[in-house]
Amino acid sequence: MRPALVEPITAEEVEFAPYGDYESDCPARMGVDLFGNSWLPVIVYMLRDGPMRPGELRTAIGGISQKMLTQTLRRMEQMTLIERRRYAEAPPRVEYELTTAGRDLLIPIYALGDWVDQHGRAVNEAMAAAED
C-alpha cells in the first residue's frame, strides 16, 4: 500500500546544515548518488511488500543481470538499506528485506513516480521533438 503524500515541500522550506560548495561529505550528494544507481530504487520498490529471494527479484524486475543484481544487493546491504537473511536449509535459502532506512526511501520513490505521472509525457514529447 502506498503511503499518502503530504503537501509538497519546496526548496525554500528545507534548511540544511551549511556545507561548502560541492563538499564530498555533503548529505545531499549521498542522496543523489542513491538514485544515480538505476537499479537501487527499482529494488527498493520491489521489496516494498516484504522479503524476496534473489531469483524472485530478478524475475520481477526483468532486464537485470545476475551480476548486477548481486552487486546492487551487496551495496544496499552495506548501506543498511536492506537486510540479508540466510536460512539453514538444504538447499540454502536467502531473502532480502528493507530496513527502516530502505522503507523510508519509498517516500521519494513515490514522489518521483507522481512527478513522472504529471510531467513524464511532456518531457518525452519535448525530447522527441528535439531529436527531429
Side-chain angles (χ1 to χ4, degrees):
M1 173 182 261
R2 184 177 168 169
L5 295 176
V6 294
E7 291 287 322
I9 297 173
T10 63
E12 300 82 44
E13 298 174 35
V14 178
E15 295 203 21
F16 297 101
Y19 280 84
D21 290 343
Y22 308 108
E23 289 287 330
S24 63
D25 63 346
C26 175
R29 195 168 175 181
M30 187 270 301
V32 170
D33 286 346
L34 287 174
F35 285 84
N37 177 324
S38 61
W39 292 114
L40 190 146
V42 173
I43 292 171
V44 169
Y45 185 78
M46 295 309 300
L47 291 172
R48 72 193 180 281
D49 293 325
M52 292 180 78
R53 297 177 71 174
E56 294 171 326
L57 274 170
R58 188 163 179 228
T59 300
I61 293 169
I64 187 171
S65 70
Q66 183 63 48
K67 179 181 177 182
M68 183 55 64
L69 177 62
T70 300
Q71 287 176 347
T72 306
L73 288 170
R74 285 181 183 158
R75 181 172 183 240
M76 291 174 71
E77 188 178 10
Q78 290 172 343
M79 299 170 83
T80 69
L81 299 175
I82 60 171
E83 185 177 278
R84 180 178 187 257
R85 292 199 181 123
R86 290 178 292 181
Y87 296 90
E89 299 175 353
R93 179 169 57 111
V94 174
E95 289 181 337
Y96 292 92
E97 184 172 20
L98 293 174
T99 62
T100 300
R103 279 190 301 280
D104 286 349
L105 265 180
L106 287 167
I107 296 167
I109 290 169
Y110 288 141
L112 185 58
D114 287 340
W115 183 89
V116 169
D117 282 346
Q118 291 178 354
H119 305 288
R121 178 170 287 150
V123 170
N124 282 335
E125 288 171 1
M127 290 174 62
E131 291 176 0
D132 292 340

